[in-house]
Amino acid sequence: GIQVEQSPPDLILQEGANSTLRCNFSDSVNNLQWFHQNPWGQLINLFYIPSGTKQNGRLSATTVATERYSLLYISSSQTTDSGVYFCAVKGGTGGFKTIFGAGTRLFVKA
Amino acid sequence: ETGVTQTPRHLVMGMTNKKSLKCEQHLGHNAMYWYKQSAKKPLELMFVYSLEERVENNSVPSRFSPECPNSSHLFLHLHTLQPEDSALYLCASSRERQGPYEQYFGPGTRLTVT
């Protein structure tokens, strides 16, 4: 089945810093989502981005489907950005199953 | 009304108890999912329902029994669980199971088995 790898696994930032999170996948996809899991466990939809670039406030994402990767950019980070960021994909040999990466755990220091 | 709700939010149960988790979606979606998230592991898909029919069961032990009485409600019935079943259980929904549709998640039920 399709493999999803996220990097880095852990990231510590000073408030106000910028960061880039990466998601690599091993096969073509027709669905790619970025989620933020807050400290209470809630998974919040950030982007639905199987290809192209999107922006929402301080967050933006780019997926280069032909090269099988997606990037999530966080600018001017805030303490409320702390949590785990997941990339999830559907497609390839995985059929209709959504495959999650292991996540990037982000901690933003005040 | 929030999109996907789950109750209870926290549950502590003994290994001989029977309990149920409830999920409700207010998005008009046709597909619903149960996921398990254990500490330091990726999310694991447990069950998928499409139009109230179970279409995926990913080798989940029989002590977990799902039920989907209609397209808005999903239950997970629990009985004779083991301590290793302690985890965050997440419900999700999407417009359809097939196709490039986003999944939306509920807040989860944090289960502790003693």
Side-chain angles (χ1 to χ4, degrees):
Chain A
I2 195 167
Q3 306 294 314
V4 181
E5 292 185 0
Q6 290 187 242
S7 60
D10 298 280
L11 184 59
I12 300 175
L13 296 177
Q14 191 66 46
E15 195 171 27
N18 303 329
S19 64
T20 301
L21 282 57
R22 188 177 181 101
C23 171
N24 292 334
F25 42 93
S26 61
D27 205 341
S28 60
V29 300
N30 60 12
N31 182 327
L32 188 146
Q33 290 184 254
W34 282 99
F35 295 92
H36 173 217
Q37 187 169 38
N38 66 23
W40 297 271
Q42 172 82 59
L43 276 164
I44 299 162
N45 292 46
L46 297 178
F47 294 103
Y48 167 71
I49 187 166
S51 64
T53 297
K54 290 187 177 179
Q55 180 156 6
N56 184 1
R58 296 180 297 103
L59 302 182
S60 63
T62 295
T63 297
V64 183
T66 53
E67 297 186 22
R68 300 182 182 168
Y69 72 88
S70 183
L71 302 174
L72 177 68
Y73 305 96
I74 305 174
S75 64
S76 304
S77 58
Q78 301 176 357
T79 56
T80 51
D81 295 332
S82 297
V84 184
Y85 290 80
F86 289 102
C87 167
V89 305
K90 185 194 288 187
T93 56
F96 307 120
K97 184 180 293 187
T98 297
I99 307 298
F100 280 78
T104 292
R105 185 173 299 276
L106 173 65
F107 179 67
V108 181
K109 299 188 295 184
Chain B
E1 185 70 76
T2 54
V4 182
T5 58
Q6 289 186 244
T7 54
R9 295 293 308 277
H10 300 272
L11 178 62
V12 179
M13 59 185 289
M15 288 191 285
T16 58
N17 292 158
K18 290 185 181 181
K19 296 286 184 185
S20 295
L21 310 185
K22 179 183 176 182
C23 175
E24 184 173 359
Q25 58 97 0
H26 310 272
L27 300 169
H29 289 168
N30 290 322
M32 296 187 77
Y33 311 79
W34 278 117
Y35 287 86
K36 175 184 178 182
Q37 187 179 29
S38 304
K40 300 189 186 290
K41 286 188 178 180
L43 273 76
E44 302 170 55
L45 180 63
M46 300 175 71
F47 301 104
V48 181
Y49 276 81
S50 177
L51 294 170
E52 302 148 41
E53 178 186 352
R54 190 191 311 178
V55 293
E56 279 190 52
N57 176 345
N58 292 295
S59 304
V60 179
S62 60
R63 56 186 184 269
F64 294 91
S65 174
E67 179 191 1
C68 188
N70 56 62
S71 59
S72 298
H73 293 87
L74 185 64
F75 294 89
L76 188 62
H77 304 299
L78 316 172
H79 63 99
T80 58
L81 295 191
Q82 304 298 311
E84 60 265 28
D85 297 322
S86 298
L88 180 66
Y89 289 84
L90 291 159
C91 172
S93 71
S94 65
R95 186 183 299 179
E96 304 289 346
R97 170 180 167 248
Q98 301 179 23
Y101 299 108
E102 292 178 75
Q103 288 193 13
Y104 294 86
F105 283 81
T109 295
R110 195 164 296 277
L111 173 67
T112 303
V113 181
T114 61

